[in-house]
Amino acid sequence: MKVIIAAAGTAGHINPGLAIANKIKEENKEAEIVFIGTTRGLENDLVPRAGYQLKTIDAYGLSKKISIDNIKKICKTLKGYGEAKKIIKEFKPDVVIGTGGYICGATIFSAHNLGIPTILHESNAFPGKAVKMLAKKTDTILISFEDAKNRIKNAKNIVYTGTPVKIQKKNYDSNKRKEIIKKVGLVDNMPIVLIFGGSQGAQKINEAILGILKDSLNRDYQIIWATGPKQYDIIKSKLKECNKDIEYIENAKITPYIYNMEEIMNVSNLIVARSGAMTITEISNLGRPSILVPLPNVSNNHQLYNAKVLEKVGGAKIILNEKLNSNELDKEIKDIVLNRDKEMEMSKSALRISKTDAESKIYDEILKVIREKKNV
């Protein structure tokens, strides 16, 4: 089996592509896989690090505004179509898979014109421009949330598979749970609230947590807070201004980044985070209550639509970015973690949209598309 995967820009696009590649190699050790990306995105680090070959083309997200810069990007993107077509013709893949972002336009369109089977994977509840534009050209579109189905028009075939993620539910025994919590520097007889805003942190969430700690509002619950590497020193300085040492905050552990995230998510009672597609998938797979603060000003407001998937089944509470403050967040945290029945009910609700076998479902669809094309 020979496969091309188009994935570029953010980890939210690249990591599902890598998970799909890993599943293909697990099932078919002889499979040859090549990634297509740009020279600018995280794919230049993540793809080679995972052991896969990366070929790059010119591709840009295009604005409707008329400007010299946009005209240049259009010209470069048109050139990218030719570059993608050349790579596909030379490699001769059995299937071309896109996992989101503007890179998919050139790659999927070129593959379609060459008669190669194509698959798109959409991680968000509100599909991106690439998926909508390529719906007619793609043999199968794989979606992470059922809500996305009605938002994709004129597609040949849509299959609800979920998104492949690294973090999975673990049923730790009491001793293992205590060991994980002790290693973090917290205690196991008080609720734990995990706060993170992605690899770069989330300033608005950080400001709200900072307020909670400054006023010592977290007397009845513990916080483990990943500030993001770029925000950590800022937070440290602000805490110092009110005579608090970041290393010794009562009921709190503050760190730039959490490396054992699977363990921490599994031992936490509540998660406070942005609502990227992978975060929503991980929270639902774990069956954890959450307070979600969608990132504003992103394409189609897709983080809000992602958060609504969990809110609709009763697994999450949404606080809009502009309405977030320390008192509001503290109130919502206490309403969940100090009410065991509510916490358990939200956990059960989150599990209702869990999709833990995404990789297997996606692999089955890849085989199906290849077989169908060969039988035509």
Side-chain angles (χ1 to χ4, degrees), residues 4 36 56-58 77-91 96 103-111 114:
I4 284 177
I36 294 181
T56 58
I57 66 172
D58 268 325
T77 299
L78 289 172
K79 180 187 172 188
Y81 279 84
E83 293 169 337
K85 192 171 184 179
K86 183 181 178 185
I87 293 169
I88 293 167
K89 287 176 80 172
E90 289 175 351
F91 187 66
V96 173
I103 195 75
C104 292
T107 314
I108 297 295
F109 190 77
S110 296
L114 291 168

Side-chain angles (χ1 to χ4, degrees), residues 1-272:
M1 184 191 297
K2 298 180 78 173
V3 182
I4 284 177
I5 298 175
T10 66
H13 291 148
I14 300 158
N15 284 334
L18 290 172
I20 292 168
N22 291 340
K23 179 62 177 178
I24 292 169
K25 292 295 278 185
E26 178 188 316
E27 298 290 339
N28 185 341
K29 289 181 171 55
E30 303 303 314
E32 297 177 51
I33 301 172
V34 167
F35 278 75
I36 294 181
T38 69
T39 58
R40 307 181 307 279
L42 279 175
E43 63 270 26
N44 293 275
D45 175 33
L46 299 179
V47 172
R49 188 187 291 268
Y52 296 104
Q53 183 182 7
L54 174 68
K55 291 182 178 290
T56 58
I57 66 172
D58 268 325
Y60 291 85
L62 304 177
S63 168
K64 293 180 180 179
K65 295 178 181 178
I66 298 174
S67 67
I68 293 174
D69 183 56
N70 202 38
I71 291 170
K72 286 180 180 177
K73 286 181 178 179
I74 291 171
C75 292
K76 287 181 179 180
T77 299
L78 289 172
K79 180 187 172 188
Y81 279 84
E83 293 169 337
K85 192 171 184 179
K86 183 181 178 185
I87 293 169
I88 293 167
K89 287 176 80 172
E90 289 175 351
F91 187 66
K92 297 181 175 63
D94 296 296
V95 64
V96 173
I97 304 166
T99 56
Y102 41 77
I103 195 75
C104 292
T107 314
I108 297 295
F109 190 77
S110 296
H112 171 78
N113 287 344
L114 291 168
I116 307 294
T118 56
I119 292 174
L120 276 171
H121 182 275
E122 176 54 73
S123 294
N124 291 299
F126 198 103
K129 292 176 184 176
V131 168
K132 291 181 176 180
M133 180 182 71
L134 295 164
K136 285 184 179 180
K137 308 286 185 186
T138 307
D139 293 293
T140 294
I141 297 175
L142 310 176
I143 56 174
S144 295
F145 305 113
E146 283 189 297
D147 294 47
K149 192 169 186 176
N150 294 330
R151 298 180 179 126
I152 303 173
K153 308 299 180 186
N154 304 315
K156 295 178 185 177
N157 185 37
I158 300 175
V159 182
Y160 172 38
T161 61
T163 291
V165 292
K166 294 178 182 177
I167 291 174
Q168 300 294 338
K169 186 175 179 63
K170 302 291 183 184
N171 294 312
Y172 297 130
D173 61 28
S174 177
N175 289 334
K176 179 63 175 175
R177 188 176 185 278
K178 286 178 181 178
E179 178 189 320
I180 293 166
I181 293 169
K182 184 179 179 181
K183 193 173 180 181
V184 174
L186 300 177
V187 297
D188 69 339
N189 60 353
M190 189 182 291
I192 296 172
V193 181
L194 167 63
I195 295 108
F196 63 91
S199 59
Q200 300 305 312
Q203 187 173 347
K204 189 71 174 179
I205 294 176
N206 285 352
E207 288 172 358
I209 300 301
L210 189 62
I212 287 173
L213 296 182
K214 280 183 174 180
D215 294 335
S216 300
L217 300 178
N218 61 317
R219 295 184 186 90
D220 299 317
Y221 61 88
Q222 301 172 98
I223 286 172
I224 177 163
W225 175 21
T227 64
K230 292 182 179 179
Q231 295 265 324
Y232 182 79
D233 286 338
I234 296 170
I235 299 296
K236 184 177 181 178
S237 296
K238 289 185 176 180
L239 285 169
K240 193 173 182 180
E241 288 172 7
C242 56
N243 298 315
K244 289 183 180 284
D245 186 332
I246 198 166
E247 298 286 340
Y248 302 100
I249 305 290
E250 187 178 6
N251 295 338
K253 175 65 179 177
I254 306 170
T255 181
Y257 189 81
I258 296 172
Y259 291 95
N260 60 332
M261 185 60 90
E262 184 173 71
E263 289 184 334
I264 300 303
M265 288 182 82
N266 269 283
V267 301
S268 297
N269 298 82
L270 173 68
I271 294 169
V272 179

